[in-house]
Amino acid sequence: MNFLVTLINGLSLGGVYALIALGYTMVYGIAKMLNFAHGDIIMVGGYTVLVALGTSGKPIFTVIACVAAIVVCCILGVTIEKVAYKPLRGASPLAVLITAIGVSYFLEGLAQIFFGTNAKFVKIAEMGILHIGGLSIGWDTVITLLVSAAIMAALTLFVKMTKTGRAMVAVSEDKAAASLMGVNVNAIITVTFAIGSILAAVASIFYLMRYPTLNNTMGAMPGIKAFTAAVIGGIGSIPGAMIGGIVLGIIECVFNSTPLAPYTVAIEFAILIVLLLVRPNGILGKKRREKV
Protein backbone atom coordinates (compact mmCIF):
# COMPACT_ATOMS: atom_id res chain seq x y z
CA MET A 1 0.00 0.00 0.00
CA ASN A 2 2.80 2.41 0.89
CA PHE A 3 4.59 1.51 -2.33
CA LEU A 4 1.43 2.34 -4.31
CA VAL A 5 1.28 5.80 -2.71
CA THR A 6 4.99 6.27 -3.48
CA LEU A 7 4.37 5.24 -7.08
CA ILE A 8 1.49 7.71 -7.46
CA ASN A 9 3.64 10.47 -5.94
CA GLY A 10 6.40 9.49 -8.38
CA LEU A 11 4.05 9.72 -11.34
CA SER A 12 2.86 13.13 -10.13
CA LEU A 13 6.41 14.48 -9.67
CA GLY A 14 7.38 12.88 -12.97
CA GLY A 15 4.57 14.82 -14.61
CA VAL A 16 6.11 18.06 -13.34
CA TYR A 17 9.56 17.09 -14.63
CA ALA A 18 8.01 16.03 -17.95
CA LEU A 19 6.35 19.44 -18.42
CA ILE A 20 9.69 21.18 -17.87
CA ALA A 21 11.56 18.65 -20.00
CA LEU A 22 9.14 19.24 -22.86
CA GLY A 23 10.24 22.88 -22.96
CA TYR A 24 13.89 21.83 -23.19
CA THR A 25 13.32 19.14 -25.80
CA MET A 26 11.04 21.25 -28.04
CA VAL A 27 13.49 24.16 -28.15
CA TYR A 28 16.40 21.80 -28.80
CA GLY A 29 14.50 19.80 -31.41
CA ILE A 30 13.38 22.87 -33.35
CA ALA A 31 15.95 25.62 -32.65
CA LYS A 32 18.85 23.21 -32.01
CA MET A 33 19.87 25.03 -28.83
CA LEU A 34 19.92 24.24 -25.11
CA ASN A 35 17.98 26.97 -23.32
CA PHE A 36 19.58 26.83 -19.88
CA ALA A 37 17.49 29.85 -18.85
CA HIS A 38 14.42 27.59 -18.97
CA GLY A 39 14.74 26.70 -15.28
CA ASP A 40 14.72 30.37 -14.36
CA ILE A 41 11.44 30.89 -16.20
CA ILE A 42 10.05 28.45 -13.63
CA MET A 43 11.42 30.74 -10.92
CA VAL A 44 9.76 33.78 -12.54
CA GLY A 45 6.50 31.85 -12.63
CA GLY A 46 6.89 31.12 -8.93
CA TYR A 47 7.43 34.78 -8.04
CA THR A 48 4.45 35.76 -10.20
CA VAL A 49 2.31 33.35 -8.19
CA LEU A 50 3.72 34.82 -4.97
CA VAL A 51 2.89 38.41 -5.99
CA ALA A 52 -0.56 37.53 -7.35
CA LEU A 53 -1.51 35.52 -4.26
CA GLY A 54 -0.28 38.04 -1.71
CA THR A 55 -1.29 36.77 1.73
CA SER A 56 -4.46 35.06 0.51
CA GLY A 57 -4.69 31.34 -0.02
CA LYS A 58 -8.28 31.35 -1.31
CA PRO A 59 -8.93 29.15 -4.36
CA ILE A 60 -10.05 32.06 -6.57
CA PHE A 61 -6.79 33.92 -5.94
CA THR A 62 -4.86 30.72 -6.68
CA VAL A 63 -6.57 30.47 -10.08
CA ILE A 64 -5.81 34.14 -10.81
CA ALA A 65 -2.18 33.58 -9.78
CA CYS A 66 -1.91 30.57 -12.11
CA VAL A 67 -3.25 32.54 -15.07
CA ALA A 68 -0.91 35.44 -14.25
CA ALA A 69 2.10 33.09 -14.11
CA ILE A 70 1.22 31.59 -17.50
CA VAL A 71 0.86 35.02 -19.12
CA VAL A 72 4.05 36.46 -17.60
CA CYS A 73 6.16 33.39 -18.42
CA CYS A 74 4.84 33.26 -21.99
CA ILE A 75 5.71 36.94 -22.56
CA LEU A 76 9.10 36.47 -20.90
CA GLY A 77 9.94 33.40 -23.01
CA VAL A 78 9.05 35.16 -26.27
CA THR A 79 10.98 38.29 -25.21
CA ILE A 80 14.10 36.28 -24.37
CA GLU A 81 13.92 34.53 -27.75
CA LYS A 82 13.50 37.82 -29.63
CA VAL A 83 16.14 39.81 -27.72
CA ALA A 84 18.81 37.25 -26.80
CA TYR A 85 18.54 34.28 -29.17
CA LYS A 86 17.15 35.49 -32.49
CA PRO A 87 20.18 37.75 -33.23
CA LEU A 88 22.38 34.66 -32.75
CA ARG A 89 20.42 32.45 -35.13
CA GLY A 90 23.43 31.87 -37.37
CA ALA A 91 26.06 31.98 -34.61
CA SER A 92 28.03 29.03 -33.26
CA PRO A 93 26.30 26.73 -30.74
CA LEU A 94 28.88 27.76 -28.12
CA ALA A 95 27.92 31.44 -28.43
CA VAL A 96 24.23 30.58 -28.02
CA LEU A 97 24.97 28.33 -25.04
CA ILE A 98 26.97 31.06 -23.28
CA THR A 99 24.17 33.54 -23.99
CA ALA A 100 21.62 31.14 -22.46
CA ILE A 101 23.74 30.83 -19.31
CA GLY A 102 24.04 34.62 -19.21
CA VAL A 103 20.27 35.03 -19.47
CA SER A 104 19.87 32.52 -16.64
CA TYR A 105 22.15 34.47 -14.29
CA PHE A 106 20.54 37.75 -15.38
CA LEU A 107 17.08 36.51 -14.36
CA GLU A 108 18.39 35.18 -11.04
CA GLY A 109 20.11 38.50 -10.34
CA LEU A 110 16.99 40.46 -11.24
CA ALA A 111 14.91 38.31 -8.87
CA GLN A 112 17.51 38.87 -6.13
CA ILE A 113 17.24 42.66 -6.58
CA PHE A 114 13.44 42.67 -6.30
CA PHE A 115 12.84 39.85 -3.80
CA GLY A 116 16.15 39.22 -2.03
CA THR A 117 17.73 35.82 -1.45
CA ASN A 118 15.74 34.70 1.60
CA ALA A 119 13.29 31.86 1.00
CA LYS A 120 9.65 32.92 0.88
CA PHE A 121 6.63 30.76 1.68
CA VAL A 122 3.98 30.58 -1.03
CA LYS A 123 0.49 30.12 0.36
CA ILE A 124 -1.38 28.05 -2.23
CA ALA A 125 -4.93 26.97 -1.40
CA GLU A 126 -5.10 23.70 0.55
CA MET A 127 -6.86 20.96 -1.40
CA GLY A 128 -7.33 18.29 1.23
CA ILE A 129 -6.83 14.53 1.11
CA LEU A 130 -8.45 11.99 -1.18
CA HIS A 131 -9.29 8.67 0.52
CA ILE A 132 -9.63 5.62 -1.73
CA GLY A 133 -9.98 2.45 0.29
CA GLY A 134 -6.89 2.39 2.48
CA LEU A 135 -5.08 4.97 0.35
CA SER A 136 -4.71 8.59 1.42
CA ILE A 137 -3.46 10.83 -1.38
CA GLY A 138 -3.28 14.60 -1.47
CA TRP A 139 -5.62 16.22 -3.99
CA ASP A 140 -2.68 18.34 -5.16
CA THR A 141 -0.91 15.11 -6.20
CA VAL A 142 -3.98 13.86 -8.07
CA ILE A 143 -4.57 17.21 -9.81
CA THR A 144 -0.89 17.46 -10.80
CA LEU A 145 -0.97 13.96 -12.29
CA LEU A 146 -4.23 14.46 -14.20
CA VAL A 147 -3.45 17.95 -15.53
CA SER A 148 0.10 16.96 -16.53
CA ALA A 149 -1.23 13.93 -18.41
CA ALA A 150 -3.90 16.06 -20.12
CA ILE A 151 -1.37 18.73 -21.16
CA MET A 152 1.04 16.15 -22.55
CA ALA A 153 -1.77 14.46 -24.51
CA ALA A 154 -2.97 17.84 -25.83
CA LEU A 155 0.56 18.79 -26.87
CA THR A 156 1.00 15.50 -28.72
CA LEU A 157 -2.28 16.05 -30.59
CA PHE A 158 -1.30 19.66 -31.32
CA VAL A 159 1.96 18.59 -32.93
CA LYS A 160 0.36 15.80 -34.97
CA MET A 161 -2.98 17.35 -35.95
CA THR A 162 -2.44 21.10 -36.46
CA LYS A 163 -0.75 23.03 -39.24
CA THR A 164 1.55 24.77 -36.74
CA GLY A 165 2.46 21.45 -35.16
CA ARG A 166 3.33 19.90 -38.50
CA ALA A 167 5.39 23.00 -39.32
CA MET A 168 7.29 22.44 -36.04
CA VAL A 169 8.08 18.89 -37.11
CA ALA A 170 9.24 20.14 -40.51
CA VAL A 171 11.51 22.78 -38.97
CA SER A 172 12.96 20.22 -36.56
CA GLU A 173 13.83 17.95 -39.50
CA ASP A 174 15.32 20.56 -41.83
CA LYS A 175 15.04 24.34 -41.40
CA ALA A 176 16.18 25.15 -44.95
CA ALA A 177 13.76 22.73 -46.60
CA ALA A 178 10.90 23.93 -44.38
CA SER A 179 11.66 27.53 -45.33
CA LEU A 180 11.62 26.63 -49.03
CA MET A 181 8.18 25.04 -48.50
CA GLY A 182 6.83 28.35 -47.15
CA VAL A 183 7.20 27.74 -43.41
CA ASN A 184 8.08 30.86 -41.40
CA VAL A 185 10.95 29.38 -39.40
CA ASN A 186 11.37 32.39 -37.10
CA ALA A 187 7.66 32.40 -36.22
CA ILE A 188 7.72 28.66 -35.49
CA ILE A 189 10.71 29.07 -33.17
CA THR A 190 8.91 31.92 -31.36
CA VAL A 191 5.78 29.74 -30.93
CA THR A 192 8.00 26.96 -29.57
CA PHE A 193 9.49 29.27 -26.94
CA ALA A 194 5.99 30.48 -26.02
CA ILE A 195 4.71 26.90 -25.53
CA GLY A 196 7.81 25.89 -23.58
CA SER A 197 7.45 28.90 -21.28
CA ILE A 198 3.75 28.17 -20.67
CA LEU A 199 4.68 24.59 -19.72
CA ALA A 200 7.34 25.97 -17.35
CA ALA A 201 4.74 28.24 -15.72
CA VAL A 202 2.33 25.34 -15.17
CA ALA A 203 5.20 23.24 -13.81
CA SER A 204 6.17 26.02 -11.38
CA ILE A 205 2.65 26.01 -9.93
CA PHE A 206 2.63 22.24 -9.43
CA TYR A 207 6.17 22.32 -8.04
CA LEU A 208 5.16 24.96 -5.47
CA MET A 209 2.24 22.74 -4.42
CA ARG A 210 4.81 20.13 -3.41
CA TYR A 211 7.55 22.45 -2.13
CA PRO A 212 5.93 25.80 -1.18
CA THR A 213 9.15 27.79 -0.69
CA LEU A 214 10.69 30.13 -3.20
CA ASN A 215 13.99 31.93 -3.78
CA ASN A 216 15.90 33.32 -6.75
CA THR A 217 17.60 29.97 -7.52
CA MET A 218 14.42 27.93 -7.13
CA GLY A 219 14.36 26.88 -10.78
CA ALA A 220 17.94 25.64 -10.93
CA MET A 221 17.55 22.09 -9.58
CA PRO A 222 14.15 21.33 -11.20
CA GLY A 223 15.59 22.67 -14.45
CA ILE A 224 18.67 20.46 -14.26
CA LYS A 225 16.59 17.40 -13.34
CA ALA A 226 14.15 18.08 -16.17
CA PHE A 227 17.07 18.47 -18.57
CA THR A 228 18.30 15.10 -17.28
CA ALA A 229 14.82 13.69 -17.96
CA ALA A 230 14.93 15.06 -21.51
CA VAL A 231 18.32 13.42 -22.09
CA ILE A 232 17.13 10.12 -20.61
CA GLY A 233 14.11 10.10 -22.90
CA GLY A 234 16.05 11.32 -25.91
CA ILE A 235 16.66 15.05 -26.31
CA GLY A 236 14.51 16.38 -29.14
CA SER A 237 11.82 13.71 -28.71
CA ILE A 238 8.48 14.85 -27.21
CA PRO A 239 7.39 11.32 -26.15
CA GLY A 240 10.94 10.79 -24.86
CA ALA A 241 10.70 13.86 -22.63
CA MET A 242 7.45 12.54 -21.17
CA ILE A 243 8.91 9.10 -20.51
CA GLY A 244 12.13 10.55 -19.09
CA GLY A 245 10.20 12.82 -16.72
CA ILE A 246 8.01 10.00 -15.45
CA VAL A 247 11.01 7.67 -15.00
CA LEU A 248 12.96 10.32 -13.09
CA GLY A 249 10.00 11.20 -10.87
CA ILE A 250 9.40 7.56 -9.92
CA ILE A 251 13.11 6.99 -9.23
CA GLU A 252 13.25 10.07 -7.01
CA CYS A 253 10.17 9.19 -4.96
CA VAL A 254 11.14 5.53 -4.59
CA PHE A 255 14.64 6.31 -3.33
CA ASN A 256 13.35 9.14 -1.10
CA SER A 257 11.25 6.53 0.71
CA THR A 258 14.32 4.40 1.52
CA PRO A 259 17.40 4.88 3.73
CA LEU A 260 19.21 6.01 0.55
CA ALA A 261 17.19 9.25 0.50
CA PRO A 262 20.21 11.55 1.15
CA TYR A 263 21.87 10.14 -1.98
CA THR A 264 18.86 10.34 -4.30
CA VAL A 265 20.25 13.13 -6.51
CA ALA A 266 23.57 11.30 -6.89
CA ILE A 267 21.71 8.10 -7.81
CA GLU A 268 19.62 9.92 -10.42
CA PHE A 269 22.67 11.31 -12.18
CA ALA A 270 24.50 7.98 -11.86
CA ILE A 271 21.58 6.34 -13.68
CA LEU A 272 21.86 9.05 -16.37
CA ILE A 273 25.56 8.30 -16.85
CA VAL A 274 24.97 4.55 -17.11
CA LEU A 275 22.10 5.05 -19.56
CA LEU A 276 24.19 7.33 -21.78
CA LEU A 277 26.99 4.77 -21.79
CA VAL A 278 24.55 2.06 -22.91
CA ARG A 279 22.30 4.20 -25.11
CA PRO A 280 23.91 7.58 -25.89
CA ASN A 281 20.83 8.94 -27.68
CA GLY A 282 18.43 8.22 -24.82
CA ILE A 283 15.43 5.90 -24.74
CA LEU A 284 13.64 7.30 -27.80
CA GLY A 285 16.39 9.49 -29.21
CA LYS A 286 17.44 9.11 -32.83
CA LYS A 287 20.99 9.20 -34.09
CA ARG A 288 21.41 12.28 -36.26
CA ARG A 289 23.88 12.60 -39.08
CA GLU A 290 25.85 15.81 -38.88
CA LYS A 291 26.44 17.58 -42.20
CA VAL A 292 30.04 18.54 -42.79
Side-chain angles (χ1 to χ4, degrees):
M1 195 69 73
N2 287 336
F3 179 76
L4 184 57
V5 173
T6 300
L7 182 61
I8 293 171
N9 284 328
L11 290 171
S12 175
L13 180 59
V16 176
Y17 287 150
L19 290 177
I20 307 170
L22 283 168
Y24 275 113
T25 207
M26 287 179 69
V27 169
Y28 179 82
I30 294 171
K32 297 297 179 289
M33 64 162 289
L34 295 174
N35 180 23
F36 279 115
H38 192 64
D40 294 290
I41 293 177
I42 301 168
M43 175 267 296
V44 171
Y47 275 115
T48 304
V49 170
L50 176 69
V51 172
L53 276 176
T55 57
S56 175
K58 294 182 180 179
I60 184 61
F61 285 98
T62 300
V63 173
I64 292 171
C66 293
V67 173
I70 290 170
V71 172
V72 169
C73 287
C74 181
I75 293 172
L76 177 63
V78 171
T79 302
I80 290 172
E81 192 276 325
K82 292 288 187 185
V83 174
Y85 300 144
K86 187 177 179 180
L88 297 174
R89 198 79 85 215
S92 69
L94 182 60
V96 179
L97 178 61
I98 292 171
T99 301
I101 295 171
V103 171
S104 172
Y105 280 110
F106 173 76
L107 292 176
E108 289 180 11
L110 209 59
Q112 182 176 342
I113 291 171
F114 285 103
F115 299 100
T117 56
N118 292 331
K120 291 177 172 55
F121 178 76
V122 182
K123 187 178 177 61
I124 294 179
E126 295 183 7
M127 299 182 184
I129 304 295
L130 174 65
H131 299 283
I132 305 176
L135 291 177
S136 296
I137 307 166
W139 268 109
D140 56 340
T141 299
V142 176
I143 291 172
T144 300
L145 181 57
L146 293 177
V147 173
S148 298
I151 289 174
M152 287 185 280
L155 182 62
T156 302
L157 290 175
F158 172 80
V159 171
K160 288 184 177 181
M161 306 295 291
T162 68
K163 183 177 179 180
T164 302
R166 290 193 292 269
M168 287 178 169
V169 174
V171 173
S172 70
E173 292 293 333
D174 192 322
K175 287 190 183 70
S179 180
L180 289 172
M181 295 300 292
V183 175
N184 187 334
V185 174
N186 286 330
I188 291 300
I189 292 175
T190 299
V191 170
T192 303
F193 269 85
I195 293 174
S197 299
I198 289 170
L199 294 174
V202 176
S204 72
I205 296 159
F206 291 148
Y207 194 80
L208 287 173
M209 287 181 182
R210 300 181 68 94
Y211 310 107
T213 56
L214 177 65
N215 61 24
N216 66 315
T217 59
M218 168 258 193
M221 186 53 72
I224 291 172
K225 288 184 178 180
F227 176 67
T228 302
V231 174
I232 288 173
I235 190 76
S237 167
I238 290 177
M242 298 176 191
I243 292 172
I246 297 299
V247 168
L248 196 68
I250 291 173
I251 289 171
E252 184 168 324
C253 285
V254 167
F255 279 100
N256 276 337
S257 64
T258 70
L260 294 174
Y263 313 105
T264 299
V265 174
I267 292 170
E268 288 172 338
F269 286 101
I271 290 172
L272 171 65
I273 293 169
V274 172
L275 177 65
L276 291 179
L277 289 173
V278 176
R279 190 173 177 80
N281 297 308
I283 296 172
L284 297 182
K286 296 178 181 178
K287 189 174 182 180
R288 295 177 179 269
R289 290 185 178 180
E290 298 292 335
K291 295 180 181 179
V292 180

